[in-house]
Amino acid sequence: MIAAVAVCLLIGLAMGDQWINPFSASNSLDQTILWELRLPRLLTAFAVGGLLALAGAWFQVLLGNPLAEPYVLGVAGSASAGAVTGLMLMPESSWIMSAGAFTGAWVGIVAVMFFSRLGPNRMLLAGVVLAAFWSAVLALLLALLPEQGLFRAFSWMMGDLSRSDLPIPLLLLAWVIALACGLLLSGALDKLLLGERHAEALGVDVKQLRSRLLLLASAVTALAVTAAGTIGFIGLVIPHLMRLIFGSLHRAVLPASAIGGGLLLVLADSAARTIIAPAELPVGILTAMIGVPVFLFLLLRRTA
């Protein structure tokens, strides 16, 4: 696994308009591109992909639904509404847009937390309704947004790793903390897979566990959306693949998902930069093109 991580990181560093040798110090321009542009973007992609995959694994257990993913409760919609609001207030400030996205995500989280006491099924239904509401708010904001801000708003909504303003150490620290928290809860998560009654009989405080999972998964999603916009299907597909490969125990699934989600987004972002170079595709388009057929294959495999 470590070797695969190293290979994918080197591929991500090398891919682009030209081959960059990370071990050569002869070309100062190449070194500047490598250390100031490629490496920060690569680390951002790895952290965001890993966070989305972890959130997906948690939401699937939390809601008892294998189709759940980080954006199912409307957090992405509220974050997008917040980002566009920030763009309307200060079109030239990336920090305001990121702050708006983070604030909007937490508004969505608070709304979901309010309905969490109704149980997972009603919470999921409330999340779907809230997602529709945030979509309507976002459409209204886009209609009011000046023309010069539309391209930036749409690129962020389709996933954009090129304009992330969050400090990379913060994202990597969040990745480590999220994985550590997941591993601490892995035993309880395994018991919750057996059903609420069985989990309670085995000593798990199900209500407390669900509250912790909801807060943790939502916070991770908010951070990932703030850093890179809306990037779908990683949190849906990667946990499924990892369960097929490593089984259902979360002490194996969670680390594998954190690494696998990061590697998928690194490779997708590298491909997005090169397919139509010098132009660039939104990375969310590629993750959807990869994720949809993989998910349909997994769905057919489960029903066969």
Side-chain angles (χ1 to χ4, degrees):
M1 182 65 75
I2 295 176
V5 172
V7 169
C8 289
L9 292 181
L10 287 175
I11 291 173
L13 285 172
M15 289 180 69
D17 298 335
Q18 58 181 332
W19 179 274
I20 294 178
N21 182 359
F23 306 106
S24 172
S26 60
N27 190 323
S28 60
L29 178 59
D30 281 359
Q31 293 300 304
T32 301
I33 293 173
L34 171 65
W35 298 110
E36 296 184 13
L37 296 176
R38 296 278 176 81
L39 185 60
R41 180 163 172 168
L42 179 147
L43 293 175
T44 299
F46 183 80
V48 168
L51 290 174
L52 289 175
L54 283 172
W58 291 328
F59 273 123
Q60 287 164 14
V61 177
L62 172 67
L63 299 174
N65 189 334
L67 301 181
E69 53 106 20
Y71 302 140
V72 72
L73 297 180
V75 175
S78 61
S80 298
V84 175
T85 301
L87 193 59
M88 292 177 66
L89 295 175
M90 296 184 66
E92 303 301 323
S93 176
S94 298
W95 275 102
I96 292 298
M97 187 175 179
S98 296
F102 192 72
T103 303
W106 275 99
V107 169
I109 290 169
V110 171
V112 171
M113 291 287 288
F114 178 78
F115 291 100
S116 64
R117 56 186 177 178
L118 301 178
N121 291 331
R122 292 187 179 181
M123 183 173 65
L124 180 59
L125 180 60
V128 172
V129 174
L130 286 171
F133 170 76
W134 291 120
S135 295
V137 172
L138 182 59
L140 174 63
L141 292 173
L142 288 173
L144 299 175
L145 190 68
E147 266 186 51
Q148 59 268 27
L150 284 175
F151 175 78
R152 189 174 175 190
F154 279 115
S155 66
W156 186 88
M157 289 164 56
M158 291 186 288
D160 187 2
L161 288 160
S162 64
R163 305 186 187 203
S164 176
D165 290 316
L166 292 185
I168 293 172
L170 172 64
L171 289 172
L172 294 176
L173 180 62
W175 185 92
V176 172
I177 292 175
L179 179 56
C181 291
L183 291 175
L184 288 175
L185 295 173
S186 61
L189 292 175
D190 292 337
K191 294 172 184 176
L192 188 58
L193 288 176
L194 301 174
E196 289 191 11
R197 291 184 179 179
H198 287 86
E200 288 176 348
L202 293 171
V204 176
D205 187 337
V206 174
K207 289 185 178 180
Q208 185 182 71
L209 177 61
R210 288 192 182 280
S211 297
R212 288 178 178 177
L213 276 182
L214 176 60
L215 187 60
L216 187 60
S218 298
V220 163
T221 303
L223 191 63
V225 173
T226 302
T230 305
I231 300 175
F233 286 96
I234 289 179
L236 180 64
V237 171
I238 289 296
H240 276 287
L241 286 175
M242 296 305 108
R243 289 189 184 100
L244 286 177
I245 297 171
F246 297 102
S248 59
L249 293 179
H250 284 89
R251 66 172 179 266
V253 169
L254 293 179
S257 296
I259 294 173
L263 294 184
L264 176 60
L265 191 53
V266 165
L267 294 178
D269 183 55
S270 298
R273 288 188 285 110
T274 57
I275 289 176
I276 57 172
E280 182 177 318
L281 285 172
V283 68
I285 293 177
L286 282 186
T287 58
M289 292 179 68
I290 295 169
V292 169
V294 171
F295 178 72
L296 290 176
F297 169 76
L298 292 174
L299 189 62
L300 291 173
R301 192 176 184 277
R302 286 174 64 92
T303 56

